[in-house]
Amino acid sequence: MSGIEVITFGCRLNTYESEVMKAQAEKAGLNNAVLVNTCAVTGEAVRQARQAIRRARRDNPHARIIVTGCAAQTEKQTFAAMAEVDAVLGNEEKLTSASYRGLPDFGVSAEEKLRVNDIMSVKATAPQMVRHIDGHVRAFIQVQNGCDHRCTFCIIPYGRGNSRSVPMGAVVDQARNLVDGGYREIVLTGVDATSYGGDLPGAPTLGLLAKTLLKQIPDIRRLRLSSIDSIEADAHLMDLIADEPRFMPHLHLSLQHGDDMMLKRMKRRHLRADALRFIEDARRLRPEMSFGADMIAGFPTETEEMFENAVRLAEEAGIAHLHVFPYSPRPGTPAARMPQLDRSLVKDRAARLRATGHRLHQSHLDGMIGTRQWLLVENNGLAHTENFTLVAAPGLRPGELVPVTITGHNGKHLDMQLTAAAAA
């Protein structure tokens, strides 16, 4: 091979950072290389990264393979010990061109491969400017990194460090740059995005940042948030939900569970009633609002009654896009030391919660039939509505905003017909 190939796992923040990595590696003159940007959120994510590294070596026997990302930060020795890996970069190091210069030669020891610092020593997030998000018609912008909270199941703070925000002016400049480049939709992303601004002068909030972007860049057609912790939602965010049509009516929530005892043992900062109240308030302000959510099944000490409370929360909240994770113990986290459930029970509960999510999604699709929607067309013959529902859009040009009427669905995505205005 020639050039640089990037393999990305995990979140939208990783997708954004992969663009930065590629630009910095090219700036350093790196060539004939595969950059693997890993995720550490589950053991399965780490396993998939290791599998991809082995495959990359088989496909590119003479390329340099450089591994980075959250799993490389938290399990650096694991990746350094792989014969297929030429270098391991930490989450901070991956974003600077100097890290890609003078990389170790093939066949060096595991220690010589490592360029991973103490992520907790990083106190600021340097603004990064990208002009393109490869393969995406929506543009992701990093507004925050790291997390100050210590949920008992989560390894990510040890991969990302403590919370630090990108200054508002830098975010505005990045957004303007991407909109000028033709992007119709901007997605603000971070590890704990709703903690945005706490470390900046004047402590601006995520809602205020979003308001500022929409005010200063009128050409933003659609603005989204990648994922939020609803307990941190501020008054500015609620104003946007109520009054700003360019702020998309979809929020992905970090719920994790629906039982108060489980939420306390997870060291979450909200209770069941808090989540339901936020969802009710948002829907009151904007009835077409849809919600996605992350939920964990089979957390240590979870009883059948506790699990049923999680199921009921998803049902009561009407979660349209439910992401279910079977609990995966992460070494170094408090939850990994708690009494564990049998793996077969964890898998069974995850399957049952996914079945609930499937039923809720079908109900959501049914409710969309007959509505008029604006679609943003993707690169794969699909599109998303404003409330982030997937629609089949064969033959339409990627990146276009198109008005349609929803005519039905196939259980996975909606079907549509162009409106008369679009057809004309």
Side-chain angles (χ1 to χ4, degrees), residues 87-106:
V88 180
L89 302 183
N91 258 334
E92 184 71 7
E93 289 78 8
K94 72 182 183 182
L95 302 176
T96 62
S97 61
S99 299
Y100 299 97
R101 296 192 186 103
L103 287 169
D105 292 330
F106 293 90

Side-chain angles (χ1 to χ4, degrees), residues 355-372:
T356 297
H358 176 74
R359 178 166 46 80
L360 291 169
H361 186 60
Q362 299 307 296
S363 177
H364 171 72
L365 294 177
D366 289 342
M368 296 284 290
I369 296 173
T371 63
R372 303 208 34 194

Side-chain angles (χ1 to χ4, degrees), residues 127-382:
Q128 302 285 349
M129 186 69 71
V130 302
R131 299 185 180 280
H132 179 68
I133 309 293
D134 189 41
H136 293 268
V137 299
R138 289 174 287 137
F140 307 120
I141 298 179
Q142 178 189 18
V143 302
Q144 180 273 342
N145 204 341
C147 185
D148 290 340
H149 311 299
R150 296 296 182 265
C151 296
T152 58
F153 56 84
C154 188
I155 195 69
I156 297 305
Y158 305 99
R160 288 286 181 176
N162 291 316
S163 182
R164 49 210 189 272
S165 307
V166 178
M168 190 178 294
V171 177
V172 172
D173 289 344
Q174 173 68 98
R176 183 176 287 113
N177 184 61
L178 289 163
V179 170
D180 288 347
Y183 284 94
R184 307 292 188 89
E185 182 171 306
I186 299 295
V187 184
L188 304 184
T189 186
V191 174
D192 180 29
T194 32
S195 71
Y196 176 83
D199 57 325
L200 296 178
T205 62
L206 182 65
L208 180 60
L209 172 63
K211 271 187 178 179
T212 302
L213 284 169
L214 290 168
K215 180 179 180 180
Q216 294 195 16
I217 312 175
D219 288 338
I220 293 178
R221 298 289 296 275
R222 296 168 40 142
L223 181 67
R224 291 191 192 278
L225 307 180
S226 61
S227 180
I228 70 165
D229 206 337
S230 61
I231 200 71
E232 293 182 314
D234 65 293
H236 292 295
L237 180 58
M238 303 311 286
D239 289 345
L240 289 170
I241 292 172
D243 300 324
E244 176 51 76
R246 292 183 295 157
F247 185 82
M248 293 295 95
H250 170 265
L251 291 171
H252 189 85
L253 309 178
S254 179
L255 292 183
Q256 308 306 344
H257 214 279
D259 179 86
D260 283 348
M261 181 56 71
M262 284 287 93
L263 290 166
K264 290 177 181 178
R265 288 177 182 166
M266 290 177 171
K267 209 174 178 181
R268 300 292 296 160
R269 289 165 299 133
H270 71 272
L271 296 176
R272 175 192 185 89
D274 299 320
L276 289 171
R277 186 181 309 112
F278 172 79
I279 291 168
E280 180 182 353
D281 288 346
R283 283 208 176 105
R284 175 175 49 79
L285 294 173
R286 198 157 180 188
E288 69 270 29
M289 180 73 71
S290 75
F291 292 93
D294 295 329
M295 296 189 77
I296 297 172
F299 188 79
T301 76
E302 181 188 69
T303 65
E304 183 65 21
E305 181 181 3
M306 293 170 178
F307 170 72
E308 289 295 338
N309 280 337
V311 173
R312 280 192 288 272
L313 175 68
E315 293 172 336
E316 291 174 31
I319 301 298
H321 312 281
L322 188 62
H323 293 189
V324 176
F325 296 86
Y327 171 72
S328 173
R330 308 301 290 126
T333 61
R337 301 190 294 271
M338 296 179 183
Q340 305 291 306
L341 301 187
D342 185 85
R343 293 309 300 172
S344 62
L345 180 57
V346 173
K347 291 178 181 178
D348 174 71
R349 287 181 178 170
R352 289 159 58 193
L353 189 54
R354 286 192 184 106
T356 297
H358 176 74
R359 178 166 46 80
L360 291 169
H361 186 60
Q362 299 307 296
S363 177
H364 171 72
L365 294 177
D366 289 342
M368 296 284 290
I369 296 173
T371 63
R372 303 208 34 194
Q373 302 288 332
W374 279 89
L375 307 183
L376 178 64
V377 183
E378 310 279 350
N379 289 315
N380 53 4
L382 298 171

Side-chain angles (χ1 to χ4, degrees), residues 62-99:
H62 303 297
R64 288 189 177 231
I65 295 183
I66 300 163
V67 181
T68 184
C70 288
Q73 184 76 43
T74 60
E75 301 183 35
K76 58 186 179 182
Q77 298 293 351
T78 296
F79 292 98
M82 295 181 69
E84 297 87 352
V85 174
D86 296 301
V88 180
L89 302 183
N91 258 334
E92 184 71 7
E93 289 78 8
K94 72 182 183 182
L95 302 176
T96 62
S97 61
S99 299

Side-chain angles (χ1 to χ4, degrees), residues 6-18 21 35-50 52 68-72 91 94 133 136 138 140 155-156 160 187 189-191 226-227 252 294 323 325:
V6 184
I7 301 172
T8 305
F9 292 90
C11 63
R12 292 182 176 93
L13 180 55
N14 257 11
T15 299
Y16 175 83
E17 289 180 337
S18 286
M21 287 164 46
L35 312 183
V36 184
N37 198 7
T38 64
C39 173
V41 72
T42 64
E44 175 63 16
V46 178
R47 187 194 70 80
Q48 289 178 3
R50 287 168 58 85
T68 184
C70 288
N91 258 334
K94 72 182 183 182
I133 309 293
H136 293 268
R138 289 174 287 137
F140 307 120
I155 195 69
I156 297 305
R160 288 286 181 176
V187 184
T189 186
V191 174
S226 61
S227 180
H252 189 85
D294 295 329
H323 293 189
F325 296 86

